[in-house]
Amino acid sequence: MRGDAVRGHLDALLLAVLESGPLHGYAIITAVQERSGGALELRKGTIYPALNRLERLGLLRGDWESVGERRRRRYELTDAGRRSLARERSEWDEFITAIGSVLNPLPRRAT
């Protein structure tokens, strides 16, 4: 799938995969790829700036965890992040309904 297909929806994708609980960056990338059946592959250079921005906006909370001798940043949704995800889902539903009605119009009934 083209990379520009994700543009504009990245925040919603990240918030959605974090809805089930905290994850570190690589696990987020893997979750998006798995949920999309391999159609969406996010790059580290895309995801980490987005995670940092969402954290600055108060939609995510990040903390450091140690795994062996390595430390990695783990992210989770805040209450504001959950509200934002709900809005994103509502807007997505409206969007796909509008686009769907143009791409696949219902047949007109004869009058």
Side-chain angles (χ1 to χ4, degrees):
M1 188 169 286
R2 293 188 326 251
D4 62 343
V6 175
R7 196 171 300 133
H9 304 290
L10 180 60
D11 291 359
L13 295 172
L14 297 176
L15 295 174
V17 298
L18 288 167
E19 184 177 30
S20 59
L23 294 171
H24 58 84
Y26 182 74
I28 293 169
I29 292 169
T30 301
V32 169
Q33 188 172 13
E34 287 176 359
R35 285 190 187 189
S36 70
L40 300 176
E41 292 185 32
L42 301 179
R43 296 184 198 165
K44 290 184 215 175
T46 301
I47 187 175
Y48 288 107
L51 290 169
N52 290 332
R53 182 176 41 74
L54 292 171
E55 187 175 8
R56 281 192 313 273
L57 292 171
L59 303 179
L60 299 180
R61 176 178 27 260
D63 63 358
W64 290 98
E65 70 175 353
S66 295
V67 179
E69 294 192 20
R70 293 185 54 203
R71 287 175 33 118
R72 60 187 180 189
R73 192 116 175 112
R74 191 176 61 149
Y75 299 90
E76 66 181 316
L77 286 181
T78 62
D79 289 340
R82 290 185 191 287
R83 288 190 300 274
S84 180
L85 177 58
R87 278 191 306 277
E88 292 274 1
R89 283 187 170 136
S90 177
E91 290 171 8
W92 176 254
D93 288 341
E94 290 174 17
F95 177 76
I96 61 171
T97 298
I99 296 297
S101 65
V102 173
L103 294 177
N104 299 308
L106 294 174
R108 291 185 177 184
R109 291 196 272 179
T111 53

